[in-house]
Amino acid sequence: MADTIPSFDPRNGKLIGSVTKTPPDEVPQAVHRARKAFETWGALDPRERRSHLKQLRSVILRRGDEIAEMVATETGRPVAESYAYDVLTTLVLIDHYQRHAHRMLRKERRGTWPFVTSRGWIEYVPRGVAGVISPWNYPFFLPMISVVTALAAGCTVVLKPSEITPLTGELIGDLVAEAGFPADSVVVIQGQGDTGQALIDAGIDVVAFTGSTAVGKKVAAQAAGHLIPAILELGGKDAMIVLDDADVHRAARAAVWGALFNTGQTCVSVERVCVQEGIYDEFIGEVIALLDKVAENKVLGPIIHEPQLEVIEDQIDDALSHGARALRGGHKIEADGGIFFEPTLLVDVDFSMKVIQNETFGPVLAVRKFKDEDEALAMANASLYGLHGSVWSKDRKRAERVTSRLATGTVAINDVAVNFITPSLPFGGIKNSGLG
């Protein structure tokens, strides 16, 4: 009898369903199927692929409520939030590629000086089979970023979704098939880490991994052994710099939203806030009032993956033992069989503490005070991560000056996390936050 992978509702611990596990020794067969599909899909002109992408968008739009319900059940997020952050973001992504991919991939003429009688050009061709290994926090949107990008480029895909959210991963394969793509354009395999390792060894042409930095380093090393590119979107420790001429009310709302959406289980969550001393007390007061409303209304979803709770509690305990103060929250809540965590505000934190050094991936906001721009940048840049960040100021030139000195892959001004869902902008990190 084949092994199965169960899926549980993190709100109450109840079994939702299960999928059949793909044995690692069967992964090469999945790659072979995708390779055969590539013979058809990869031969199409980019303009010919547009109709398929448009049809995929239509299928997702028609089945959006079903997708959101599945995501909500596997992650514990509210259905409306799941629709916004997984379904709508995916629709925007597909719309972008079906409109622009053919122009992005068209042949580019290049000069050949000093060989003035020669002609040169760049021609883009699909790599072949893309392996996609995706996480549990956004089980539809995050894999679809890589899946849709690969399909738009003419590649076929073997997708290994997280074993925490396997049902949503299975649904992705069904949607692509319903949209009329050639059979096996997207092959879904199910399993744990050994299945992902088998995928990298199975003859794929590129691997896209979204997940923790620790696992991402292993993926990069394994991919290097096959000399295949590895696209790695890894952990973050995003800093928010609030200058003394910022709109304090709006910045406080952004900090709370940025720290708490999806219960902080987002790679671009706001985890560190650096606030200039002249507005520090006002900012803290605003944040406390907002956190009290969140706690009162009980709007936060559960901790999706139970082992993450240990990370959150360890960081808070470490911070408190080294002199930090928790002005709000700091404790887990067990209800109806699920694991929840209070929205938490830490102050008097410094770089000696784990909560400043390491990714938290939970509803925790750590706030520090600074005197001037140089000190703020020193605080923000003293991190092993560099995925995203934000700068808050009413002075555009000042904000851009500070932004240009932030050591991070992407930055927003007077907004948070917006780059991640803007498909026309490149998204990726530096340092321990990834490659590509």
Side-chain angles (χ1 to χ4, degrees), residues 62-396:
R62 184 171 66 251
R63 296 180 62 180
D65 290 343
E66 174 194 351
I67 298 167
E69 186 66 44
M70 177 63 75
V71 171
T73 303
E74 287 204 299
T75 66
R77 292 206 310 265
V79 173
E81 189 175 306
S82 298
Y83 198 100
Y85 297 152
D86 273 273
V87 179
L88 287 182
T89 48
T90 300
L91 291 171
V92 170
L93 175 76
I94 296 173
D95 183 73
H96 171 73
Y97 279 125
Q98 70 97 10
R99 290 174 183 271
H100 302 296
H102 67 285
R103 284 193 289 269
M104 298 163 71
L105 296 173
R106 65 188 173 192
K107 188 182 297 184
E108 297 179 13
R109 298 288 179 182
R110 293 295 173 89
T112 57
W113 187 91
F115 305 104
V116 293
T117 60
S118 299
R119 296 291 181 268
W121 65 90
I122 297 174
E123 184 172 344
Y124 297 96
V125 296
R127 287 186 178 275
V129 178
V132 176
I133 303 173
S134 62
W136 44 261
N137 56 329
Y138 292 88
F140 190 73
F141 178 50
L142 289 181
M144 287 298 277
I145 292 175
S146 298
V147 168
V148 172
T149 303
L151 291 172
C155 295
T156 53
V157 177
V158 178
L159 166 65
K160 193 207 86 67
S162 169
E163 64 272 24
I164 309 302
T165 53
L167 299 177
T168 304
E170 202 74 17
L171 185 56
I172 290 173
D174 294 341
L175 295 169
V176 173
E178 184 178 333
F181 283 72
D184 295 326
S185 294
V186 174
V187 180
V188 179
I189 58 175
Q190 299 280 4
Q192 287 85 11
D194 56 350
T195 303
Q197 291 172 352
L199 176 59
I200 299 172
D201 289 336
I204 57 176
D205 301 290
V206 58
V207 60
F209 171 81
T210 306
S212 72
T213 297
V215 177
K217 289 179 178 180
K218 294 178 181 178
V219 170
Q222 190 177 353
H226 299 284
L227 289 179
I228 59 172
I231 301 167
L232 307 171
E233 200 269 270
L234 309 178
K237 193 69 188 175
D238 293 2
M240 177 178 178
I241 296 177
V242 186
L243 299 169
D244 57 8
D245 62 346
D247 182 330
V248 177
H249 177 69
R250 188 164 183 268
R253 290 174 64 88
V256 171
W257 181 84
L260 301 186
F261 76 101
N262 199 21
T263 316
Q265 298 164 116
T266 305
C267 59
V268 291
S269 291
V270 176
E271 296 202 358
R272 301 177 292 150
V273 184
C274 305
V275 184
Q276 198 153 11
E277 57 186 6
I279 58 169
Y280 179 84
D281 291 340
E282 181 185 359
F283 180 87
I284 292 295
E286 293 261 8
V287 168
I288 288 174
L290 291 165
L291 290 179
D292 286 345
K293 288 183 179 180
V294 172
E296 179 183 350
N297 294 323
K298 299 179 181 179
V299 295
L300 286 190
I303 303 301
I304 300 170
H305 189 37
E306 186 173 353
Q308 191 61 33
L309 177 66
E310 298 178 13
V311 176
I312 298 168
E313 291 184 318
D314 176 63
Q315 289 190 12
I316 291 175
D317 290 345
D318 173 77
L320 296 178
S321 69
H322 285 86
R325 293 181 294 141
L327 299 186
R328 287 296 185 273
H331 304 95
K332 71 176 179 179
I333 305 169
E334 294 189 20
D336 301 322
I339 297 175
F340 299 79
F341 204 89
E342 295 176 330
T344 300
L345 172 62
L346 296 176
V347 297
D348 298 337
V349 293
D350 59 51
F351 197 74
S352 69
M353 302 172 187
K354 294 179 183 178
V355 75
I356 292 296
Q357 295 179 24
N358 303 326
E359 184 176 42
T360 305
F361 227 61
V364 179
L365 192 63
V367 183
R368 307 172 74 182
K369 184 189 301 183
F370 68 86
K371 293 181 180 180
D372 53 33
E373 293 175 16
D374 287 340
E375 185 179 14
L377 286 162
M379 288 179 176
N381 291 338
S383 175
L384 297 175
Y385 297 94
L387 187 59
H388 188 58
S390 65
V391 175
W392 292 75
S393 170
K394 293 178 182 177
D395 184 334
R396 178 177 175 178

Side-chain angles (χ1 to χ4, degrees), residues 4-15:
T4 60
I5 299 174
S7 178
F8 298 94
D9 187 331
R11 295 169 293 193
N12 51 39
K14 293 181 179 179
L15 179 68

